[in-house]
Amino acid sequence: MSSEQILIPDIGDFDSVDVIEVLVNVGDSIEYDMPLITVESDKASMDIPAPKDGVIKDLKIKVGDKVKKGSLIGLLEVSESSKKPKPKNEISATDDKKESLEKITRTPTRPAPEPPDKIVAKETPIPIGESIHTDNSKVAHASPSVRKFARNLGVNLSFVIGSGNKNRILFEDVENFVKGELTKPRTENMGASFAPIPMPNIDFSEFGKTETKPLSKIKKISGANLHRNWVTAPHVTQFDNADITDLEIFRKSMQKEAEKRGTKLTLIAFLMKACVNALKAYPTFNSSLTPDGDNLILKSYYNIGFACDTPDGLVVPVVKDVQKKDVIDIAKDLKDLSEKARARKLKMEEMQGGCFTISSLGGIGGTKFTPIINCPEVAILGVSRASMQPVFNKNNEDFEARLMLPLSLSYDHRVIDGADGARFTSHLCMMLSDVRRLLL
Ligand code: CAO
């Protein structure tokens, strides 16, 4: 190991140029040819590359400094094995043959822009839940002219994927990035512009004993989806209470029949029926926004998903063609799908094709909650624990003890207005309170 000075090489006929970017930090391991700093004259800018592999031990310059040939950039700790031969036409602190700043910063020939569909396909999406501003330590590999081009367009190069040699970012990568951003669906743009600031990295063991457990795969996937849905769809939650006194009497009376058909008749089976009825009455609830946000796709099929709590996390199996099934058939599907979900045997197609989702926490407890929409669906029904409540009778003269089921309907306010949200829950309440209507 030895320490070597990193000096500004011959940069042509310039007495001094400005340091506009410092691309490395003390302690960084760098590779030969990696850009260390960017300097700029009034005519052009250029990267000063690393002369060798090594570790930055000290930095002697900062943004705004004026430098010239021979100025000290910093100290590099170099191992014997890191000494690499360099191509003759490369600029470095130790090169004999130098190119001037003007020569290096030439206008590149740009290939013709790709068609938009190709550009979108090439994009690498920013992972959900990961702030696009977090990776400041990553140094984008790009020539000075590309950097300048990106700066002029306001593009942060750390978001751009380079397609050049060693992932170097080329002009067309910046162009494609900009086009990709402009052609992204409106919903995605909204999500990106509301990307949260990075979470603080706290060492909790400073405050007490801790244990680190990895998140399950299901939790990671569902977490990413929930986060996207939460930030892209403006949620409103409408609350209501359905009188299910008669429904519960009927459900219990049907239990023997259900047992004969090998299942247990649960409340959710009735809720699914009621939801299909409400979806037919209010078709906007059975729709999805097109990715560009300009059109609604209305569906004429009725597949209802249900949130299922499993030891590995939340999954949403889908009961298909609910409109064609009676409540016992639906209960059977619910049982089969929940068992499969908990045994991790659900097939992909059993979680696809949903139009609307029910999330029931009624078996556990609680009075209300605000479920997150399972986008691109536009609404979800949360169901809490039913309880006996004193309810005024029709003449408002007396109370009656009624079994009331709390409903929480979250809907996407881009698609559904508040009035329709209230109409939908009122319709559900009407259906659930009169079992005859439900079974029609
Ligand atoms: N009010 C009162 N009691 C209720 C009820 C309600 N709303 N819903 C269910 N119950 C009762 C059931 O009748 C059953 O009682 P019995 O055993 O006496 O018959 C008991 O609670 C257990 O029901 P269950 O919840 O296990 O079964 P289910 O068919 O009602 O629900 C399922 C199935 C898959 C939805 C449920 O097991 C589950 O996973 N729930 C969690 C969903 C979840 O995590 N949602 C949150 C997602 S985040 O938005």
Side-chain angles (χ1 to χ4, degrees):
M1 294 278 198
S2 61
S3 245
E4 291 187 17
Q5 290 187 331
I6 318 170
L7 303 175
I8 299 282
D10 187 347
I11 48 175
D13 299 325
F14 292 94
D15 282 334
S16 78
V17 287
D18 294 325
V19 176
I20 57 162
E21 275 183 273
V22 177
L23 304 164
V24 288
N25 294 308
V26 173
D28 283 357
S29 287
I30 56 160
E31 282 176 20
Y32 161 69
D33 198 34
M34 194 174 142
L36 300 176
I37 62 170
T38 308
V39 293
E40 194 176 54
S41 71
D42 52 355
K43 288 187 185 150
S45 61
M46 73 179 288
D47 286 345
I48 304 296
K52 292 173 183 170
D53 295 359
V55 176
I56 302 283
K57 279 286 146 201
D58 199 2
L59 277 174
K60 296 292 186 195
I61 48 173
K62 57 185 186 313
V63 171
D65 284 355
K66 292 215 177 282
V67 291
K68 57 185 181 184
K69 179 189 172 189
S71 297
L72 181 61
I73 298 175
L75 294 177
L76 187 67
E77 190 174 84
V78 197
S79 65
E80 283 310 302
S81 60
S82 73
K83 291 178 181 167
K84 285 193 177 179
K86 293 172 284 300
K88 282 188 181 167
N89 60 351
E90 292 272 4
I91 281 202
S92 85
T94 54
D95 277 336
D96 291 324
K97 193 174 175 187
K98 311 290 189 310
E99 276 183 79
S100 72
L101 191 51
E102 294 96 322
K103 279 185 196 162
I104 287 291
T105 313
R106 54 197 156 242
T107 308
T109 45
R110 298 183 208 175
E114 293 180 67
D117 53 348
K118 218 172 155 194
I119 292 159
V120 173
K122 220 171 131 183
E123 267 172 40
T124 303
I126 296 154
I128 295 292
E130 187 181 305
S131 166
I132 55 174
H133 302 291
T134 53
D135 204 5
N136 292 333
S137 60
K138 201 176 89 184
V139 177
H141 200 40
S143 72
S145 41
V146 169
R147 287 179 184 286
K148 195 166 187 187
F149 180 54
R151 259 199 316 279
N152 290 344
L153 293 174
V155 171
N156 182 337
L157 283 179
S158 61
F159 306 158
V160 181
I161 311 293
S163 65
N165 187 24
K166 289 186 184 168
N167 298 330
R168 202 170 183 91
I169 298 168
L170 309 176
F171 268 89
E172 76 234 50
D173 296 324
V174 178
E175 285 177 340
N176 288 344
F177 175 81
V178 172
K179 284 178 192 155
E181 286 298 306
L182 293 174
T183 54
K184 262 185 185 174
R186 233 176 275 165
T187 48
E188 275 187 44
N189 283 338
M190 287 175 70
S193 59
F194 284 100
I197 58 167
M199 196 61 75
N201 190 359
I202 295 170
D203 177 6
F204 298 104
S205 64
E206 279 183 18
F207 309 106
K209 199 174 164 219
T210 61
E211 184 196 357
T212 303
K213 273 171 85 175
L215 280 185
S216 70
K217 200 173 163 199
I218 289 181
K219 269 210 185 325
K220 279 190 191 165
I221 295 170
S222 62
N225 280 296
L226 289 163
H227 180 228
R228 179 202 56 205
N229 300 349
W230 181 247
V231 298
T232 52
H235 282 60
V236 177
T237 306
Q238 171 73 37
F239 301 105
D240 215 331
N241 289 311
D243 183 339
I244 58 164
T245 318
D246 299 336
L247 174 60
E248 270 301 276
I249 294 167
F250 178 74
R251 186 177 75 88
K252 285 181 180 147
S253 74
M254 290 293 290
Q255 222 47 278
K256 281 217 166 73
E257 171 72 19
E259 276 167 29
K260 269 193 224 157
R261 287 169 60 182
T263 195
K264 183 178 153 196
L265 190 50
T266 57
L267 182 60
I268 297 195
F270 290 91
L271 287 166
M272 287 205 168
K273 269 289 188 211
C275 286
V276 167
N277 195 292
L279 291 174
K280 284 183 176 171
Y282 299 96
T284 317
F285 284 77
N286 192 13
S287 73
S288 286
L289 268 177
T290 50
D292 60 9
D294 286 338
N295 296 290
L296 264 191
I297 299 171
L298 293 149
K299 301 161 197 168
S300 304
Y301 54 88
Y302 301 89
N303 300 333
I304 311 287
F306 64 102
C308 183
D309 181 33
T310 79
D312 297 316
L314 180 70
V315 289
V316 184
V318 176
V319 179
K320 302 272 163 61
D321 293 325
V322 172
Q323 81 284 8
K324 294 182 188 163
K325 294 175 179 166
D326 68 22
V327 278
I328 297 180
D329 289 331
I330 298 169
K332 281 171 94 168
D333 282 3
L334 282 164
K335 184 168 174 278
D336 289 351
L337 290 166
S338 323
E339 283 170 4
K340 277 192 190 172
R342 288 177 183 137
R344 306 172 76 171
K345 287 191 175 146
L346 271 185
K347 294 187 192 126
M348 193 49 95
E349 60 263 30
E350 290 170 318
M351 293 184 277
Q352 288 172 337
C355 304
F356 181 88
T357 299
I358 297 177
S359 175
S360 172
L361 293 171
I364 302 166
T367 53
K368 291 178 187 75
F369 67 107
T370 53
I372 297 177
I373 302 162
N374 191 14
C375 298
E377 294 168 19
V378 294
I380 180 169
L381 182 70
V383 184
S384 298
R385 194 161 190 78
S387 63
M388 294 303 287
Q389 303 276 332
V391 178
F392 273 110
N393 62 19
K394 277 190 187 132
N395 302 324
N396 276 346
E397 284 166 357
D398 212 351
F399 291 116
E400 279 179 39
R402 306 294 293 177
L403 185 61
M404 303 303 289
L405 179 72
L407 303 177
S408 312
L409 176 84
S410 293
Y411 57 85
D412 185 336
H413 210 346
R414 292 171 303 174
V415 178
I416 294 159
D417 294 332
D420 277 340
R423 285 186 192 108
F424 191 89
T425 52
S426 298
H427 188 93
L428 276 180
C429 290
M430 177 187 74
M431 299 303 297
L432 292 167
S433 63
D434 188 346
V435 74
R436 291 165 308 175
R437 284 178 192 265
L438 194 56
L439 299 173
L440 274 179

